[in-house]
PDB file of all heavy atoms in Angstrom:
ATOM      1  N   PRO A   1       0.876  -1.265  -0.024  1.00  0.00           N
ATOM      2  CA  PRO A   1      -0.005  -0.048   0.015  1.00  0.00           C
ATOM      3  C   PRO A   1       0.851   1.246   0.017  1.00  0.00           C
ATOM      4  O   PRO A   1       0.490   2.229  -0.642  1.00  0.00           O
ATOM      5  CB  PRO A   1      -0.841  -0.222   1.331  1.00  0.00           C
ATOM      6  CG  PRO A   1      -0.916  -1.586   1.514  1.00  0.00           C
ATOM      7  CD  PRO A   1       0.367  -2.131   1.107  1.00  0.00           C
ATOM      8  N   ASN A   2       1.949   1.280   0.736  1.00  0.00           N
ATOM      9  CA  ASN A   2       2.805   2.505   0.818  1.00  0.00           C
ATOM     10  C   ASN A   2       3.411   2.731  -0.573  1.00  0.00           C
ATOM     11  O   ASN A   2       3.541   3.835  -1.053  1.00  0.00           O
ATOM     12  CB  ASN A   2       3.853   2.317   1.873  1.00  0.00           C
ATOM     13  CG  ASN A   2       4.645   3.628   2.064  1.00  0.00           C
ATOM     14  OD1 ASN A   2       4.081   4.567   2.407  1.00  0.00           O
ATOM     15  ND2 ASN A   2       5.934   3.513   1.884  1.00  0.00           N
ATOM     16  N   THR A   3       4.035   1.696  -1.203  1.00  0.00           N
ATOM     17  CA  THR A   3       4.709   1.891  -2.500  1.00  0.00           C
ATOM     18  C   THR A   3       3.646   2.293  -3.507  1.00  0.00           C
ATOM     19  O   THR A   3       3.856   3.183  -4.325  1.00  0.00           O
ATOM     20  CB  THR A   3       5.297   0.551  -2.966  1.00  0.00           C
ATOM     21  OG1 THR A   3       6.324   0.169  -2.041  1.00  0.00           O
ATOM     22  CG2 THR A   3       5.975   0.680  -4.333  1.00  0.00           C
ATOM     23  N   LYS A   4       2.415   1.717  -3.470  1.00  0.00           N
ATOM     24  CA  LYS A   4       1.385   2.088  -4.397  1.00  0.00           C
ATOM     25  C   LYS A   4       0.984   3.594  -4.191  1.00  0.00           C
ATOM     26  O   LYS A   4       0.854   4.275  -5.198  1.00  0.00           O
ATOM     27  CB  LYS A   4       0.147   1.273  -4.142  1.00  0.00           C
ATOM     28  CG  LYS A   4      -1.065   1.532  -5.079  1.00  0.00           C
ATOM     29  CD  LYS A   4      -2.221   0.604  -4.772  1.00  0.00           C
ATOM     30  CE  LYS A   4      -3.438   0.995  -5.574  1.00  0.00           C
ATOM     31  NZ  LYS A   4      -4.574   0.112  -5.178  1.00  0.00           N
ATOM     32  N   ARG A   5       0.932   3.972  -2.991  1.00  0.00           N
ATOM     33  CA  ARG A   5       0.543   5.392  -2.641  1.00  0.00           C
ATOM     34  C   ARG A   5       1.617   6.366  -3.244  1.00  0.00           C
ATOM     35  O   ARG A   5       1.214   7.339  -3.859  1.00  0.00           O
ATOM     36  CB  ARG A   5       0.408   5.568  -1.202  1.00  0.00           C
ATOM     37  CG  ARG A   5       0.149   7.043  -0.725  1.00  0.00           C
ATOM     38  CD  ARG A   5       0.184   7.192   0.736  1.00  0.00           C
ATOM     39  NE  ARG A   5       1.456   6.675   1.322  1.00  0.00           N
ATOM     40  CZ  ARG A   5       2.552   7.492   1.378  1.00  0.00           C
ATOM     41  NH1 ARG A   5       2.526   8.653   0.881  1.00  0.00           N
ATOM     42  NH2 ARG A   5       3.681   7.035   1.976  1.00  0.00           N
ATOM     43  N   VAL A   6       2.873   5.987  -3.035  1.00  0.00           N
ATOM     44  CA  VAL A   6       3.986   6.877  -3.608  1.00  0.00           C
ATOM     45  C   VAL A   6       3.947   6.870  -5.141  1.00  0.00           C
ATOM     46  O   VAL A   6       4.061   8.034  -5.717  1.00  0.00           O
ATOM     47  CB  VAL A   6       5.329   6.364  -3.148  1.00  0.00           C
ATOM     48  CG1 VAL A   6       6.415   7.149  -3.742  1.00  0.00           C
ATOM     49  CG2 VAL A   6       5.466   6.468  -1.579  1.00  0.00           C
ATOM     50  N   TYR A   7       3.826   5.730  -5.766  1.00  0.00           N
ATOM     51  CA  TYR A   7       3.805   5.669  -7.239  1.00  0.00           C
ATOM     52  C   TYR A   7       2.673   6.511  -7.814  1.00  0.00           C
ATOM     53  O   TYR A   7       2.809   7.272  -8.776  1.00  0.00           O
ATOM     54  CB  TYR A   7       3.756   4.240  -7.634  1.00  0.00           C
ATOM     55  CG  TYR A   7       5.063   3.495  -7.716  1.00  0.00           C
ATOM     56  CD1 TYR A   7       6.036   3.712  -6.743  1.00  0.00           C
ATOM     57  CD2 TYR A   7       5.339   2.445  -8.571  1.00  0.00           C
ATOM     58  CE1 TYR A   7       7.244   3.039  -6.810  1.00  0.00           C
ATOM     59  CE2 TYR A   7       6.502   1.730  -8.641  1.00  0.00           C
ATOM     60  CZ  TYR A   7       7.456   2.096  -7.764  1.00  0.00           C
ATOM     61  OH  TYR A   7       8.591   1.383  -7.670  1.00  0.00           O
ATOM     62  N   LEU A   8       1.534   6.313  -7.222  1.00  0.00           N
ATOM     63  CA  LEU A   8       0.326   7.032  -7.807  1.00  0.00           C
ATOM     64  C   LEU A   8       0.422   8.553  -7.590  1.00  0.00           C
ATOM     65  O   LEU A   8       0.120   9.335  -8.510  1.00  0.00           O
ATOM     66  CB  LEU A   8      -0.934   6.568  -7.143  1.00  0.00           C
ATOM     67  CG  LEU A   8      -1.362   5.027  -7.498  1.00  0.00           C
ATOM     68  CD1 LEU A   8      -2.523   4.641  -6.735  1.00  0.00           C
ATOM     69  CD2 LEU A   8      -1.640   5.032  -9.008  1.00  0.00           C
ATOM     70  N   ALA A   9       1.004   8.932  -6.419  1.00  0.00           N
ATOM     71  CA  ALA A   9       1.097  10.356  -6.184  1.00  0.00           C
ATOM     72  C   ALA A   9       2.078  11.063  -7.070  1.00  0.00           C
ATOM     73  O   ALA A   9       1.872  12.104  -7.633  1.00  0.00           O
ATOM     74  CB  ALA A   9       1.522  10.556  -4.659  1.00  0.00           C
ATOM     75  N   GLU A  10       3.287  10.370  -7.315  1.00  0.00           N
ATOM     76  CA  GLU A  10       4.361  10.892  -8.172  1.00  0.00           C
ATOM     77  C   GLU A  10       3.852  10.925  -9.627  1.00  0.00           C
ATOM     78  O   GLU A  10       4.156  11.858 -10.373  1.00  0.00           O
ATOM     79  CB  GLU A  10       5.573  10.099  -7.941  1.00  0.00           C
ATOM     80  CG  GLU A  10       6.242  10.151  -6.568  1.00  0.00           C
ATOM     81  CD  GLU A  10       6.510  11.495  -6.111  1.00  0.00           C
ATOM     82  OE1 GLU A  10       6.460  12.503  -6.856  1.00  0.00           O
ATOM     83  OE2 GLU A  10       6.856  11.680  -4.872  1.00  0.00           O
ATOM     84  N   PHE A  11       3.115   9.920  -9.951  1.00  0.00           N
ATOM     85  CA  PHE A  11       2.630   9.833 -11.419  1.00  0.00           C
ATOM     86  C   PHE A  11       1.531  10.910 -11.628  1.00  0.00           C
ATOM     87  O   PHE A  11       1.598  11.642 -12.695  1.00  0.00           O
ATOM     88  CB  PHE A  11       2.003   8.532 -11.693  1.00  0.00           C
ATOM     89  CG  PHE A  11       1.758   8.159 -13.082  1.00  0.00           C
ATOM     90  CD1 PHE A  11       2.813   8.133 -14.024  1.00  0.00           C
ATOM     91  CD2 PHE A  11       0.462   7.916 -13.580  1.00  0.00           C
ATOM     92  CE1 PHE A  11       2.476   7.846 -15.361  1.00  0.00           C
ATOM     93  CE2 PHE A  11       0.212   7.685 -14.908  1.00  0.00           C
ATOM     94  CZ  PHE A  11       1.274   7.689 -15.848  1.00  0.00           C
ATOM     95  N   GLN A  12       0.718  11.210 -10.605  1.00  0.00           N
ATOM     96  CA  GLN A  12      -0.234  12.216 -10.723  1.00  0.00           C
ATOM     97  C   GLN A  12       0.320  13.546 -10.826  1.00  0.00           C
ATOM     98  O   GLN A  12      -0.214  14.423 -11.554  1.00  0.00           O
ATOM     99  CB  GLN A  12      -1.183  12.166  -9.463  1.00  0.00           C
ATOM    100  CG  GLN A  12      -2.417  13.130  -9.602  1.00  0.00           C
ATOM    101  CD  GLN A  12      -3.389  12.780 -10.729  1.00  0.00           C
ATOM    102  OE1 GLN A  12      -3.881  11.666 -10.714  1.00  0.00           O
ATOM    103  NE2 GLN A  12      -3.539  13.691 -11.644  1.00  0.00           N
ATOM    104  N   HIS A  13       1.439  13.792 -10.188  1.00  0.00           N
ATOM    105  CA  HIS A  13       2.213  15.076 -10.359  1.00  0.00           C
ATOM    106  C   HIS A  13       2.561  15.328 -11.722  1.00  0.00           C
ATOM    107  O   HIS A  13       2.401  16.476 -12.295  1.00  0.00           O
ATOM    108  CB  HIS A  13       3.396  15.045  -9.425  1.00  0.00           C
ATOM    109  CG  HIS A  13       4.283  16.333  -9.481  1.00  0.00           C
ATOM    110  ND1 HIS A  13       5.319  16.454 -10.364  1.00  0.00           N
ATOM    111  CD2 HIS A  13       4.144  17.474  -8.851  1.00  0.00           C
ATOM    112  CE1 HIS A  13       5.839  17.634 -10.187  1.00  0.00           C
ATOM    113  NE2 HIS A  13       5.178  18.368  -9.274  1.00  0.00           N
ATOM    114  N   LEU A  14       3.159  14.287 -12.424  1.00  0.00           N
ATOM    115  CA  LEU A  14       3.433  14.456 -13.930  1.00  0.00           C
ATOM    116  C   LEU A  14       2.188  14.674 -14.695  1.00  0.00           C
ATOM    117  O   LEU A  14       2.169  15.615 -15.651  1.00  0.00           O
ATOM    118  CB  LEU A  14       4.105  13.144 -14.313  1.00  0.00           C
ATOM    119  CG  LEU A  14       4.413  13.025 -15.788  1.00  0.00           C
ATOM    120  CD1 LEU A  14       5.326  14.165 -16.333  1.00  0.00           C
ATOM    121  CD2 LEU A  14       4.993  11.673 -16.094  1.00  0.00           C
ATOM    122  N   LEU A  15       1.121  13.924 -14.345  1.00  0.00           N
ATOM    123  CA  LEU A  15      -0.095  14.175 -15.191  1.00  0.00           C
ATOM    124  C   LEU A  15      -0.674  15.495 -15.116  1.00  0.00           C
ATOM    125  O   LEU A  15      -1.134  16.040 -16.065  1.00  0.00           O
ATOM    126  CB  LEU A  15      -1.117  13.016 -14.857  1.00  0.00           C
ATOM    127  CG  LEU A  15      -0.760  11.580 -15.093  1.00  0.00           C
ATOM    128  CD1 LEU A  15      -1.917  10.694 -14.581  1.00  0.00           C
ATOM    129  CD2 LEU A  15      -0.404  11.342 -16.511  1.00  0.00           C
ATOM    130  N   ASN A  16      -0.589  15.992 -13.898  1.00  0.00           N
ATOM    131  CA  ASN A  16      -1.110  17.402 -13.639  1.00  0.00           C
ATOM    132  C   ASN A  16      -0.373  18.482 -14.514  1.00  0.00           C
ATOM    133  O   ASN A  16      -1.021  19.399 -15.039  1.00  0.00           O
ATOM    134  CB  ASN A  16      -1.035  17.794 -12.201  1.00  0.00           C
ATOM    135  CG  ASN A  16      -1.977  17.017 -11.308  1.00  0.00           C
ATOM    136  OD1 ASN A  16      -2.965  16.453 -11.832  1.00  0.00           O
ATOM    137  ND2 ASN A  16      -1.676  16.952 -10.056  1.00  0.00           N
ATOM    138  N   LEU A  17       0.895  18.280 -14.732  1.00  0.00           N
ATOM    139  CA  LEU A  17       1.650  19.237 -15.480  1.00  0.00           C
ATOM    140  C   LEU A  17       1.441  19.055 -16.933  1.00  0.00           C
ATOM    141  O   LEU A  17       1.523  19.974 -17.778  1.00  0.00           O
ATOM    142  CB  LEU A  17       3.123  19.049 -15.154  1.00  0.00           C
ATOM    143  CG  LEU A  17       3.625  19.595 -13.775  1.00  0.00           C
ATOM    144  CD1 LEU A  17       5.169  19.190 -13.527  1.00  0.00           C
ATOM    145  CD2 LEU A  17       3.398  21.006 -13.657  1.00  0.00           C
ATOM    146  N   LEU A  18       1.157  17.750 -17.391  1.00  0.00           N
ATOM    147  CA  LEU A  18       0.948  17.543 -18.732  1.00  0.00           C
ATOM    148  C   LEU A  18      -0.406  18.090 -19.253  1.00  0.00           C
ATOM    149  O   LEU A  18      -0.568  18.247 -20.429  1.00  0.00           O
ATOM    150  CB  LEU A  18       1.034  15.992 -19.019  1.00  0.00           C
ATOM    151  CG  LEU A  18       2.391  15.393 -18.848  1.00  0.00           C
ATOM    152  CD1 LEU A  18       2.326  13.852 -19.042  1.00  0.00           C
ATOM    153  CD2 LEU A  18       3.400  15.961 -19.846  1.00  0.00           C
ATOM    154  N   ASP A  19      -1.339  18.094 -18.337  1.00  0.00           N
ATOM    155  CA  ASP A  19      -2.709  18.603 -18.701  1.00  0.00           C
ATOM    156  C   ASP A  19      -3.263  17.583 -19.691  1.00  0.00           C
ATOM    157  O   ASP A  19      -3.519  16.330 -19.440  1.00  0.00           O
ATOM    158  CB  ASP A  19      -2.675  19.972 -19.226  1.00  0.00           C
ATOM    159  CG  ASP A  19      -3.963  20.603 -19.187  1.00  0.00           C
ATOM    160  OD1 ASP A  19      -5.000  20.056 -18.496  1.00  0.00           O
ATOM    161  OD2 ASP A  19      -4.232  21.652 -19.901  1.00  0.00           O
ATOM    162  N   ASP A  20      -3.516  18.043 -20.936  1.00  0.00           N
ATOM    163  CA  ASP A  20      -4.112  17.145 -22.017  1.00  0.00           C
ATOM    164  C   ASP A  20      -3.116  16.411 -22.832  1.00  0.00           C
ATOM    165  O   ASP A  20      -3.502  15.631 -23.670  1.00  0.00           O
ATOM    166  CB  ASP A  20      -5.067  17.954 -22.922  1.00  0.00           C
ATOM    167  CG  ASP A  20      -6.288  18.505 -22.119  1.00  0.00           C
ATOM    168  OD1 ASP A  20      -6.667  17.885 -21.208  1.00  0.00           O
ATOM    169  OD2 ASP A  20      -6.758  19.615 -22.483  1.00  0.00           O
ATOM    170  N   TYR A  21      -1.837  16.585 -22.536  1.00  0.00           N
ATOM    171  CA  TYR A  21      -0.784  15.930 -23.426  1.00  0.00           C
ATOM    172  C   TYR A  21      -0.717  14.491 -22.976  1.00  0.00           C
ATOM    173  O   TYR A  21      -0.509  14.217 -21.725  1.00  0.00           O
ATOM    174  CB  TYR A  21       0.496  16.604 -23.216  1.00  0.00           C
ATOM    175  CG  TYR A  21       1.601  16.146 -24.243  1.00  0.00           C
ATOM    176  CD1 TYR A  21       1.736  16.686 -25.474  1.00  0.00           C
ATOM    177  CD2 TYR A  21       2.435  15.059 -23.839  1.00  0.00           C
ATOM    178  CE1 TYR A  21       2.751  16.229 -26.317  1.00  0.00           C
ATOM    179  CE2 TYR A  21       3.450  14.611 -24.634  1.00  0.00           C
ATOM    180  CZ  TYR A  21       3.578  15.193 -25.992  1.00  0.00           C
ATOM    181  OH  TYR A  21       4.557  14.669 -26.770  1.00  0.00           O
ATOM    182  N   TYR A  22      -0.832  13.539 -23.827  1.00  0.00           N
ATOM    183  CA  TYR A  22      -0.791  12.185 -23.409  1.00  0.00           C
ATOM    184  C   TYR A  22       0.564  11.669 -22.867  1.00  0.00           C
ATOM    185  O   TYR A  22       1.596  11.883 -23.567  1.00  0.00           O
ATOM    186  CB  TYR A  22      -1.231  11.250 -24.657  1.00  0.00           C
ATOM    187  CG  TYR A  22      -1.125   9.776 -24.343  1.00  0.00           C
ATOM    188  CD1 TYR A  22      -1.672   9.177 -23.228  1.00  0.00           C
ATOM    189  CD2 TYR A  22      -0.474   8.939 -25.384  1.00  0.00           C
ATOM    190  CE1 TYR A  22      -1.580   7.787 -23.050  1.00  0.00           C
ATOM    191  CE2 TYR A  22      -0.373   7.577 -25.038  1.00  0.00           C
ATOM    192  CZ  TYR A  22      -0.911   7.039 -23.968  1.00  0.00           C
ATOM    193  OH  TYR A  22      -0.805   5.619 -23.678  1.00  0.00           O
ATOM    194  N   VAL A  23       0.627  11.141 -21.711  1.00  0.00           N
ATOM    195  CA  VAL A  23       1.790  10.749 -21.088  1.00  0.00           C
ATOM    196  C   VAL A  23       2.586   9.693 -21.921  1.00  0.00           C
ATOM    197  O   VAL A  23       3.829   9.761 -21.937  1.00  0.00           O
ATOM    198  CB  VAL A  23       1.618  10.155 -19.665  1.00  0.00           C
ATOM    199  CG1 VAL A  23       0.763   8.849 -19.775  1.00  0.00           C
ATOM    200  CG2 VAL A  23       2.829   9.934 -18.931  1.00  0.00           C
ATOM    201  N   GLY A  24       1.915   8.940 -22.579  1.00  0.00           N
ATOM    202  CA  GLY A  24       2.618   7.861 -23.440  1.00  0.00           C
ATOM    203  C   GLY A  24       3.382   8.405 -24.588  1.00  0.00           C
ATOM    204  O   GLY A  24       4.198   7.697 -25.171  1.00  0.00           O
ATOM    205  N   ASP A  25       3.071   9.637 -24.955  1.00  0.00           N
ATOM    206  CA  ASP A  25       3.845  10.290 -26.109  1.00  0.00           C
ATOM    207  C   ASP A  25       4.996  11.052 -25.650  1.00  0.00           C
ATOM    208  O   ASP A  25       5.760  11.644 -26.466  1.00  0.00           O
ATOM    209  CB  ASP A  25       2.852  11.325 -26.744  1.00  0.00           C
ATOM    210  CG  ASP A  25       1.769  10.665 -27.514  1.00  0.00           C
ATOM    211  OD1 ASP A  25       1.918   9.445 -27.917  1.00  0.00           O
ATOM    212  OD2 ASP A  25       0.735  11.357 -27.717  1.00  0.00           O
ATOM    213  N   LEU A  26       5.431  10.947 -24.288  1.00  0.00           N
ATOM    214  CA  LEU A  26       6.587  11.646 -23.831  1.00  0.00           C
ATOM    215  C   LEU A  26       7.827  11.048 -24.420  1.00  0.00           C
ATOM    216  O   LEU A  26       7.974   9.777 -24.436  1.00  0.00           O
ATOM    217  CB  LEU A  26       6.634  11.573 -22.299  1.00  0.00           C
ATOM    218  CG  LEU A  26       5.654  12.572 -21.590  1.00  0.00           C
ATOM    219  CD1 LEU A  26       5.699  12.282 -20.085  1.00  0.00           C
ATOM    220  CD2 LEU A  26       6.019  14.060 -21.835  1.00  0.00           C
ATOM    221  N   ASN A  27       8.748  11.807 -24.938  1.00  0.00           N
ATOM    222  CA  ASN A  27       9.976  11.275 -25.365  1.00  0.00           C
ATOM    223  C   ASN A  27      11.143  11.493 -24.316  1.00  0.00           C
ATOM    224  O   ASN A  27      10.892  12.351 -23.313  1.00  0.00           O
ATOM    225  CB  ASN A  27      10.466  11.849 -26.810  1.00  0.00           C
ATOM    226  CG  ASN A  27      10.454  13.424 -26.624  1.00  0.00           C
ATOM    227  OD1 ASN A  27      10.846  14.010 -25.723  1.00  0.00           O
ATOM    228  ND2 ASN A  27      10.024  14.104 -27.745  1.00  0.00           N
ATOM    229  N   PRO A  28      12.323  10.986 -24.501  1.00  0.00           N
ATOM    230  CA  PRO A  28      13.359  11.203 -23.467  1.00  0.00           C
ATOM    231  C   PRO A  28      13.693  12.646 -23.211  1.00  0.00           C
ATOM    232  O   PRO A  28      13.950  13.059 -22.042  1.00  0.00           O
ATOM    233  CB  PRO A  28      14.617  10.491 -24.128  1.00  0.00           C
ATOM    234  CG  PRO A  28      13.963   9.398 -24.950  1.00  0.00           C
ATOM    235  CD  PRO A  28      12.656   9.976 -25.449  1.00  0.00           C
ATOM    236  N   LYS A  29      13.596  13.519 -24.230  1.00  0.00           N
ATOM    237  CA  LYS A  29      13.937  14.946 -24.003  1.00  0.00           C
ATOM    238  C   LYS A  29      12.917  15.593 -23.091  1.00  0.00           C
ATOM    239  O   LYS A  29      13.240  16.353 -22.211  1.00  0.00           O
ATOM    240  CB  LYS A  29      14.057  15.759 -25.318  1.00  0.00           C
ATOM    241  CG  LYS A  29      14.403  17.202 -25.121  1.00  0.00           C
ATOM    242  CD  LYS A  29      14.291  17.912 -26.448  1.00  0.00           C
ATOM    243  CE  LYS A  29      14.781  19.400 -26.205  1.00  0.00           C
ATOM    244  NZ  LYS A  29      13.877  20.139 -25.263  1.00  0.00           N
ATOM    245  N   ARG A  30      11.544  15.348 -23.363  1.00  0.00           N
ATOM    246  CA  ARG A  30      10.545  15.896 -22.526  1.00  0.00           C
ATOM    247  C   ARG A  30      10.633  15.405 -21.153  1.00  0.00           C
ATOM    248  O   ARG A  30      10.322  16.107 -20.178  1.00  0.00           O
ATOM    249  CB  ARG A  30       9.208  15.707 -23.160  1.00  0.00           C
ATOM    250  CG  ARG A  30       8.978  16.421 -24.527  1.00  0.00           C
ATOM    251  CD  ARG A  30       7.576  16.655 -24.763  1.00  0.00           C
ATOM    252  NE  ARG A  30       6.942  17.589 -23.850  1.00  0.00           N
ATOM    253  CZ  ARG A  30       5.733  18.086 -24.070  1.00  0.00           C
ATOM    254  NH1 ARG A  30       5.027  17.901 -25.191  1.00  0.00           N
ATOM    255  NH2 ARG A  30       5.184  18.948 -23.128  1.00  0.00           N
ATOM    256  N   LEU A  31      10.914  14.100 -20.983  1.00  0.00           N
ATOM    257  CA  LEU A  31      11.027  13.571 -19.626  1.00  0.00           C
ATOM    258  C   LEU A  31      12.252  14.283 -18.937  1.00  0.00           C
ATOM    259  O   LEU A  31      12.145  14.548 -17.652  1.00  0.00           O
ATOM    260  CB  LEU A  31      11.266  12.068 -19.727  1.00  0.00           C
ATOM    261  CG  LEU A  31       9.992  11.283 -19.961  1.00  0.00           C
ATOM    262  CD1 LEU A  31      10.364   9.840 -20.323  1.00  0.00           C
ATOM    263  CD2 LEU A  31       9.057  11.261 -18.801  1.00  0.00           C
ATOM    264  N   LYS A  32      13.254  14.501 -19.596  1.00  0.00           N
ATOM    265  CA  LYS A  32      14.520  15.059 -18.969  1.00  0.00           C
ATOM    266  C   LYS A  32      14.072  16.530 -18.624  1.00  0.00           C
ATOM    267  O   LYS A  32      14.470  16.975 -17.442  1.00  0.00           O
ATOM    268  CB  LYS A  32      15.601  15.191 -19.966  1.00  0.00           C
ATOM    269  CG  LYS A  32      16.904  15.718 -19.358  1.00  0.00           C
ATOM    270  CD  LYS A  32      18.069  15.730 -20.323  1.00  0.00           C
ATOM    271  CE  LYS A  32      19.265  16.283 -19.679  1.00  0.00           C
ATOM    272  NZ  LYS A  32      20.453  16.209 -20.662  1.00  0.00           N
ATOM    273  N   ASP A  33      13.435  17.218 -19.385  1.00  0.00           N
ATOM    274  CA  ASP A  33      12.940  18.619 -18.977  1.00  0.00           C
ATOM    275  C   ASP A  33      12.104  18.504 -17.765  1.00  0.00           C
ATOM    276  O   ASP A  33      12.178  19.460 -16.874  1.00  0.00           O
ATOM    277  CB  ASP A  33      12.125  19.188 -20.176  1.00  0.00           C
ATOM    278  CG  ASP A  33      13.102  19.524 -21.357  1.00  0.00           C
ATOM    279  OD1 ASP A  33      14.272  19.699 -21.168  1.00  0.00           O
ATOM    280  OD2 ASP A  33      12.516  19.695 -22.442  1.00  0.00           O
TER     281      ASP A  33
END
């Protein structure tokens, strides 16, 4: 449960910044940024 909570929270942080941009389309450069 603790690992799941951390993973979901950190992933949600990324999704919030992406807004409508699909996370699966991220390339290495955008991930680095």
Side-chain angles (χ1 to χ4, degrees):
N2 187 57
T3 300
K4 180 180 174 182
R5 176 184 58 80
V6 171
Y7 277 31
L8 290 174
E10 299 301 349
F11 193 62
Q12 185 64 61
H13 178 266
L14 171 62
L15 297 182
N16 290 342
L17 291 174
L18 291 176
D19 197 14
D20 292 331
Y21 188 90
Y22 174 49
V23 64
D25 290 338
L26 286 173
N27 57 35
K29 182 183 182 304
R30 292 203 65 168
L31 281 170
K32 183 177 181 179
D33 289 342

